[in-house]
């Protein structure tokens, strides 16, 4: 579906209404009066108070309160095993506060001999927020206060991610509601510090959408120094630069990302080389972790008396598996008849990393939610995916309560049921990827391009003609100089 001249003139002013654009919302809106009328012009008149961004912030605040309430049993009774698993209120915040010396004043990367298995910025957040808690020792009251402080900060980062997602496509601000009230975010948002990296990557995508590649690179570089996964998105910009021949913004993005990452990491590398390297060493040496495909196989292999996957083998399988996925994504990026959007490729590469990684912690779903909201804002598919994640979320806590603490048998699930929940979560994510790929090859299915846009997050790639694409399989030389209208 290509925009007409009139469509292009109106596009910057018109806001897409979900009750017109999303099939599930259209159906559900019948209960409150039906879709927005054909003569209404959303976004043409703005209220000083009730605008999309304020409503999205309120929705996020309500969702964050719900996420904290889920932790209510542990906040009242303490984070103790196995009840923290059976009450589904486990959080790394109080656990690491007690077990990594944070309660005793340990500041990762500054207190030598106290390794911490996270990148630099996350390590500093964990240590500095611990220093802000009054009192001494790992008392239940201080652990609770530590959780509260980090939960508040995570909620702020959640709001930042929502705002950045809404502003990354001014015509579709309501797509950010997928981030604001995502069931996966409510369930897993306060397990770890992932929302900090999510917010930084979201800000990076917003800056790139506004043609500010240096700011985008700084945000993504800082995000990589918080959690590793934002670095994966850098490859997306390289692929699109190859396809369009537009390298100026991409080079600026890559250079500023490297500079920002180095500015944060170099002092830690010099001041505490072993402490800085511990994150990388830990990631390499750790056994296949909970909810990964390798861990699930090992559970089944143990019951069926088959060969298990060792740690070196899992490392090798991850490198090969993720590498093949990246090659496939590169093929799609350069082969599709029309240039894929930044968000579509970003979702695919992060999803590939999640599916092939040695561990899948429940909070990893946070990495994907804002990318999905930009890549394929469809509520039906989103809720299918979130249902699978909720099933896995419950299953992993029941399984952990049994295996780590020998909890009461009536609260446990046997390993085959846990493996089934892992398989369902992986299948649901693969299903989302298949839809994104289908949208890439058939832009008429893409909700964003159906609303007469090319690539709202694309920066200089938005509307750019192709200069290089791969030929159809087994046919002819590479296609060159394809116009924007043909692409």
């Amino acid at each position: 579906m290509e925009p007409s001249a009139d469509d292009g003139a109106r596009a910057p002013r018109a806001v897409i209404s979900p009750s017109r654009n999303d099939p599930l919302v259209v159906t559900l809106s019948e209960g409150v009066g039906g879709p927005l009328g054909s003569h209404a012009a959303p976004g043409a008149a703005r209220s000083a108070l009730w605008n999309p961004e304020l409503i999205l912030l309120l929705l996020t605040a309500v969702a964050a309160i719900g996420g904290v309430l889920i932790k209510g049993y542990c906040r009242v009774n303490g984070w103790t095993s196995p009840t923290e698993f059976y009450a589904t209120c486990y959080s790394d915040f109080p656990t690491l506060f007690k077990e990594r010396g944070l309660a005793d004043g340990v500041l990762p990367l500054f207190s030598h001999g106290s390794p911490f298995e996270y990148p630099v910025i996350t390590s500093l957040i964990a240590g500095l927020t611990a220093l802000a808690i009054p009192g001494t020792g790992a008392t239940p009251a201080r652990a609770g206060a530590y959780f509260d402080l980090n939960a508040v900060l995570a909620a702020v980062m959640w709001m930042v991610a929502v705002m950045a997602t809404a502003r990354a496509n001014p015509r579709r601000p309501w797509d950010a509601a997928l981030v604001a009230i995502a069931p996966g975010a409510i369930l897993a948002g306060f397990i770890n510090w992932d929302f900090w990296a999510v917010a930084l990557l979201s800000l990076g995508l917003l800056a790139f959408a506004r043609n500010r590649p240096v700011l985008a690179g700084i945000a993504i570089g800082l995000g990589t120094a918080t959690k590793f996964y934002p670095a994966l998105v850098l490859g997306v910009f390289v692929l699109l630069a190859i396809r369009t021949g537009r390298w100026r913004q991409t080079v600026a993005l890559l250079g500023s990302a490297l500079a920002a990452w180095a500015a944060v990491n170099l002092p830690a590398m010099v001041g505490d080389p072993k402490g800085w390297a511990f994150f990388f060493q830990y990631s390499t040496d750790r056994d296949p972790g909970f909810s990964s495909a390798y861990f699930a196989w090992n559970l089944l292999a143990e019951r069926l008396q088959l060969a298990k996957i060792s740690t070196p083998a899992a490392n090798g399988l991850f490198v090969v598996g993720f590498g093949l996925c990246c090659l496939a994504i590169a093929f799609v990026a350069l082969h599709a008849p029309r240039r894929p959007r930044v968000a579509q490729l970003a979702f695919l590469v992060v999803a590939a990393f999640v599916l092939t990684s040695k561990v899948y912690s429940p909070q990893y779903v946070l990495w994907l939610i804002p990318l999905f909201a930009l890549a394929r804002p469809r509520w039906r598919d989103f809720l299918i995916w979130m249902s699978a994640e909720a099933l896995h979320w419950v299953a992993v806590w029941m399984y952990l309560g049994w295996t780590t603490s020998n909890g009461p048998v009536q609260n446990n699930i046997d390993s085959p049921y846990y493996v089934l929940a892992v398989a369902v979560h992986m299948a649901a994510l693969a299903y989302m990827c298949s839809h994104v790929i289908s949208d890439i090859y058939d832009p008429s299915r893409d909700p964003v391009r159906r609303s007469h846009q090319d690539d709202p997050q694309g920066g200089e790639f938005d509307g750019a003609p192709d200069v290089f694409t791969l030929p159809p399989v087994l046919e002819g030389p590479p296609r060159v100089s394809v116009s924007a209208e043909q692409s």
Side-chain angles (χ1 to χ4, degrees):
M1 180 179 292
E2 297 293 337
S4 67
D6 290 339
D7 289 331
R10 290 193 302 267
R13 297 190 298 272
V15 172
I16 302 300
S17 169
S19 68
R20 289 176 177 173
N21 183 261
D22 188 287
L24 179 61
V25 179
V26 170
T27 301
L28 294 177
S29 69
E30 295 295 340
V32 290
L36 194 69
S38 58
H39 294 288
R46 292 184 176 271
S47 166
L49 180 62
W50 295 110
N51 57 71
E53 291 189 355
L54 177 59
I55 295 172
L56 288 168
L57 284 175
L58 292 174
L59 289 174
T60 309
V62 172
I65 292 170
V68 171
L69 289 177
I70 290 173
K71 310 296 184 185
Y73 180 89
C74 288
R75 291 183 73 251
V76 173
N77 299 284
W79 278 268
T80 58
S81 181
T83 54
E84 62 183 346
F85 299 124
Y86 294 138
T88 63
C89 57
Y90 173 83
S91 173
D92 284 334
F93 297 152
T95 300
L96 296 176
F97 181 73
K98 294 181 288 187
E99 295 181 358
R100 296 296 188 275
L102 301 175
D104 300 316
V106 168
L107 184 59
L109 303 175
F110 287 88
S111 301
H112 288 227
S114 301
F116 199 65
E117 63 270 30
Y118 292 96
V120 172
I121 292 181
T122 298
S123 298
L124 293 177
I125 294 169
L128 293 175
T129 52
L131 294 178
I133 304 302
T136 58
T139 63
R142 293 193 75 226
Y146 184 73
F147 170 84
D148 292 342
L149 175 58
N150 279 283
V152 168
L153 295 175
V156 172
M157 293 300 105
W158 189 351
M159 292 179 180
V160 170
V162 169
M163 287 298 94
T165 303
R167 294 182 179 186
N169 187 351
R171 289 199 65 200
R172 300 184 62 97
W174 293 110
D175 291 344
L178 292 165
V179 186
I181 57 174
I186 296 171
L187 296 175
F190 303 116
I191 294 176
N192 201 280
W193 292 274
D194 294 71
F195 258 134
W196 289 79
V198 171
L200 286 166
L201 177 57
S202 299
L203 289 172
L205 293 176
L206 171 61
F208 195 85
R210 295 184 172 183
N211 292 298
R212 306 179 89 171
V214 173
L215 287 178
I218 291 172
I220 294 175
L222 294 177
T224 303
T226 306
K227 296 281 182 175
F228 173 76
Y229 89 94
L232 304 173
V233 178
L234 295 174
V236 168
F237 300 102
V238 173
L239 290 172
L240 293 176
I242 293 172
R243 177 153 183 159
T244 63
R246 299 192 175 186
W247 284 95
R248 181 183 62 83
Q249 284 195 344
T250 299
V251 171
L253 172 78
L254 297 176
S256 57
L258 179 60
W261 181 88
V264 171
N265 279 267
L266 284 176
M269 293 170 63
V270 173
D272 185 9
K274 290 185 178 179
W276 176 84
F278 183 73
F279 162 69
F280 302 97
Q281 178 186 343
Y282 177 82
S283 300
T284 301
D285 295 344
R286 72 184 304 177
D287 295 332
F290 291 109
S291 297
S292 68
Y294 319 104
F295 185 82
W297 167 261
N298 285 346
L299 288 179
L300 294 178
E302 184 176 6
R303 294 177 74 97
L304 299 175
Q305 297 183 339
L306 299 173
K308 291 185 178 182
I309 299 175
S310 65
T311 299
N315 289 337
L317 288 171
F318 163 68
V319 171
V320 172
F322 182 59
L324 290 174
C325 287
C326 288
L327 289 175
I329 293 168
F331 175 81
V332 170
L334 300 175
H335 175 263
R338 184 170 179 178
R339 169 180 34 78
R341 295 188 289 109
V342 166
Q344 290 173 322
L345 295 178
F347 177 83
L348 290 176
V349 72
V350 176
F353 181 82
V354 166
L355 290 171
T356 57
S357 181
K358 286 200 303 179
V359 63
Y360 179 73
S361 298
Q363 70 270 17
Y364 288 3
V365 70
L366 303 177
W367 303 354
L368 291 160
I369 290 173
L371 298 177
F372 183 86
L374 296 173
R376 195 170 205 277
R378 280 287 184 255
W379 277 97
R380 186 201 65 173
D381 295 334
F382 182 70
L383 293 176
I384 290 173
W385 174 36
M386 289 294 100
S387 298
E389 293 294 339
L391 173 66
H392 168 262
W393 183 77
V394 173
V396 71
W397 301 134
M398 299 303 102
Y399 182 75
L400 280 169
W402 171 38
T403 57
T404 65
S405 309
N406 295 317
V409 66
Q410 65 268 22
N411 294 331
N412 300 330
I413 59 171
D414 202 0
S415 56
Y417 298 103
Y418 168 62
V419 170
L420 178 61
V422 173
V424 169
H425 125 72
M426 296 183 70
L429 183 52
Y431 173 73
M432 296 300 102
C433 292
S434 70
H435 272 299
V436 172
I437 294 171
S438 178
D439 290 348
I440 290 173
Y441 275 91
D442 183 5
S444 67
R445 293 167 47 93
D446 179 1
V448 174
R449 282 182 165 154
R450 282 176 60 88
S451 57
H452 307 299
Q453 298 179 94
D454 180 41
D455 188 356
Q457 295 82 48
E460 68 176 354
F461 303 134
D462 186 25
D466 293 335
V467 299
F468 174 83
T469 58
L470 293 175
V473 178
L474 302 180
E475 293 184 23
R479 305 188 297 273
V480 295
S481 300
V482 180
S483 69
E485 290 73 25
Q486 294 173 319
S487 57

